[in-house]
Amino acid sequence: VIRLTDVSKTYDTGAIQVQALKHVDLVINEGEFVAIMGQSGSGKSTLMNILGCLDRPTSGKFYLGEDDVSVMDPKELATVRNKKIGFVFQSFNLIPRTTALKNVELPMIYARRPKTERRRQAEALLARVGLADRGDHLPNELSGGQKQRVAIARALVNQPQMLLADEPTGNLDTGSSLEIMELFTALNSEGVTVVVVTHEEEIAAYCGRVVRFKDGQLISDLLQEPV
Amino acid sequence: VIRLTDVSKTYDTGAIQVQALKHVDLVINEGEFVAIMGQSGSGKSTLMNILGCLDRPTSGKFYLGEDDVSVMDPKELATVRNKKIGFVFQSFNLIPRTTALKNVELPMIYARRPKTERRRQAEALLARVGLADRGDHLPNELSGGQKQRVAIARALVNQPQMLLADEPTGNLDTGSSLEIMELFTALNSEGVTVVVVTHEEEIAAYCGRVVRFKDGQLISDLLQEPV
Ligand SMILES: Nc1ncnc2c1ncn2[C@@H]1O[C@H](COP(=O)(O)OP(=O)(O)OP(=O)(O)O)[C@@H](O)[C@H]1O
Ligand SMILES: Nc1ncnc2c1ncn2[C@@H]1O[C@H](COP(=O)(O)OP(=O)(O)OP(=O)(O)O)[C@@H](O)[C@H]1O
Ligand SMILES: [Mg+2]
Ligand SMILES: [Mg+2]
């Protein structure tokens, strides 16, 4: 269970001050499939970075289950990040001079999984996202949508309890997008909590709930029948 | 006028060989508004890099107007790239430690335009894409869709004859996407040739022609009534 209570986030870099999130209250229960929508610049990635324990709120409380994340020690936080959360970044964040296969294996190296197991799991996930024949390519030898799919495979490789995906289909054709959403739906039916940022209504249609942001504020939160 | 005749592109990096484009014939006349569509990995960005004089075909001919691009000298080619073509990269390619405003001014520096003129034009274009208040942000202080819009502004700043945009709305909400397509439509009505790679039918609907790729081959080329 994720609980954000009166969460605000201000970026303050001297000359620049931006209130990216303003007094956000949000509860996401285990097993939900939630879409986050809103205009460009409305705070979606900022929210995802907080949920993914990659950044901290400026004010307010963030609970993961019973735990107040702001008082977790760094070791505890790293364990949550590496083992419980799978994160697909909006700009993929692949390691440049590292093959697709090695990029997907990386989280398993942090989780200290055995070498043969890592290899097998990475190959299986690359095949699952349609990239079985691209494992030995470097990121700059992959198309935009292929990089995006490597980032998705990498997020799934430690079988996370929660998947946070920031615009996971932004660079994908319709066919590939629907395949990815089918994959997320399958994971969700196995109990994985899935939160997806998207700007496409056909993608949000796979979710059971749509939360909308505008200028850093949560402006609507509606349940729906997934398509 | 762009003329590709029997153009193929193979990426050959020792262990890896990929035929990204196979025997492509394509003519785009001045003033057209063309959408390029196709699955992830089907060769669209490869095509755009060739059209933008950023990469060369492995075989076949590429004519820009009367000129065979393969026999142009580097100085001529640089002039075409910097002054006649505006290019929006799929991954934006902004300069990291440089403000949005400076990123947009960069092509005008190469074109040796006066400082005051550069500043005014850059500010006007940032305002046009809705980022008037983000000029002093660095790329890592911008949202995904904001970075994309800076890349669009930068492509327009030398008033190019041809605009090549690779997935220019991939990170934009519907409202911002339609604003960008209205902007491109306005430019096209002023005589700018516009070629847009997109995977969204609602975006392709703004174009007068849709060219589709599959596995490196051009599989269909149809005129349509723009919406
Ligand atoms: N430098 C490279 N070396 C080897 N293969 C490459 C290289 N760049 C691209 N490729 C391969 O060439 C094919 C075409 O790539 P391209 O980037 O043109 O696809 P695309 O249609 O733009 O895809 P997307 O919609 O995912 O952006 C892909 O299968 C890709 O893996
Ligand atoms: N490091 C930073 N410093 C200053 N401002 C920032 C920083 N990061 C983001 N911002 C600003 O915070 C606001 C919210 O950014 P965020 O990335 O969360 O938006 P978003 O909803 O994900 O947008 P998009 O749909 O374009 O990806 C934006 O206006 C952005 O300019
Ligand atoms: Mg974002
Ligand atoms: Mg591409």
Side-chain angles (χ1 to χ4, degrees), chain B:
Chain B
V1 162
I2 294 167
R3 179 185 304 275
L4 294 179
T5 307
D6 196 31
V7 161
S8 295
K9 175 71 185 182
T10 301
Y11 293 110
D12 196 339
T13 49
I16 291 171
Q17 230 204 39
V18 176
Q19 282 197 303
L21 290 176
K22 301 166 188 165
H23 307 290
V24 175
D25 293 313
L26 180 64
V27 176
I28 297 177
N29 289 303
E30 213 180 311
E32 286 202 70
F33 195 171
V34 186
I36 308 286
M37 305 188 80
Q39 280 180 334
S40 174
S42 58
K44 306 179 298 294
S45 295
T46 301
L47 177 85
M48 295 293 268
N49 289 338
I50 288 171
L51 294 183
C53 302
L54 297 161
D55 198 3
R56 291 172 175 279
T58 308
S59 63
K61 285 292 181 195
F62 171 31
Y63 292 91
L64 267 182
E66 300 298 308
D67 305 317
D68 178 350
V69 176
S70 62
V71 299
M72 276 181 168
D73 67 60
K75 197 158 170 293
E76 233 178 326
L77 212 58
T79 304
V80 168
R81 264 203 308 267
N82 296 330
K83 294 199 178 181
K84 299 192 179 182
I85 300 172
F87 202 107
V88 185
F89 292 86
Q90 187 169 8
S91 53
F92 323 147
N93 292 20
L94 301 182
I95 312 287
R97 281 175 286 273
T98 302
T99 64
L101 191 75
K102 273 267 171 283
N103 261 286
V104 175
E105 287 188 29
L106 211 59
M108 292 188 280
I109 293 171
Y110 288 132
R112 305 186 179 292
R113 287 179 45 195
K115 191 172 184 181
T116 44
E117 195 182 305
R118 290 198 314 249
R119 178 120 197 167
R120 202 165 359 105
Q121 173 77 333
E123 287 178 339
L125 273 160
L126 278 177
R128 194 97 184 264
V129 297
L131 294 176
D133 58 350
R134 288 285 182 276
D136 50 359
H137 282 232
L138 299 176
N140 67 358
E141 295 167 349
L142 292 170
S143 77
Q146 289 169 344
K147 285 197 273 271
Q148 189 153 39
R149 284 181 275 157
V150 173
I152 291 166
R154 182 181 62 179
L156 298 179
V157 91
N158 275 338
Q159 289 162 327
Q161 293 174 5
M162 174 163 73
L163 173 65
L164 301 173
D166 197 343
E167 304 268 8
T169 65
N171 278 282
L172 296 179
D173 57 281
T174 306
S176 310
S177 300
L178 300 184
E179 282 172 26
I180 293 302
M181 293 314 287
E182 298 292 340
L183 171 57
F184 288 5
T185 300
L187 289 168
N188 181 245
S189 66
E190 292 163 23
V192 179
T193 308
V194 182
V195 183
V196 174
V197 169
T198 181
H199 61 260
E200 293 182 62
E201 300 286 349
E202 311 86 62
I203 301 299
Y206 280 77
C207 304
R209 179 177 168 200
V210 180
V211 176
R212 294 181 193 266
F213 280 80
K214 184 172 158 70
D215 296 326
Q217 294 187 298
L218 200 160
I219 57 166
S220 78
D221 188 346
L222 299 171
L223 295 178
Q224 67 181 18
E225 195 55 49
V227 117

Side-chain angles (χ1 to χ4, degrees), chain A residues 94-115:
Chain A
L94 302 180
I95 313 287
R97 282 176 285 273
T98 302
T99 64
L101 191 75
K102 273 266 170 281
N103 261 286
V104 175
E105 286 189 30
L106 212 58
M108 293 187 280
I109 293 172
Y110 289 132
R112 306 185 177 291
R113 289 185 35 202
K115 191 170 182 182

Side-chain angles (χ1 to χ4, degrees), chain A residues 18-53:
Chain A
V18 176
Q19 280 197 301
L21 291 175
K22 301 167 188 165
H23 307 291
V24 175
D25 294 312
L26 180 65
V27 175
I28 298 177
N29 289 302
E30 213 179 309
E32 284 202 71
F33 194 171
V34 185
I36 308 285
M37 304 188 81
Q39 281 179 333
S40 174
S42 59
K44 306 180 297 294
S45 295
T46 301
L47 177 85
M48 296 292 269
N49 289 338
I50 288 170
L51 294 183
C53 302

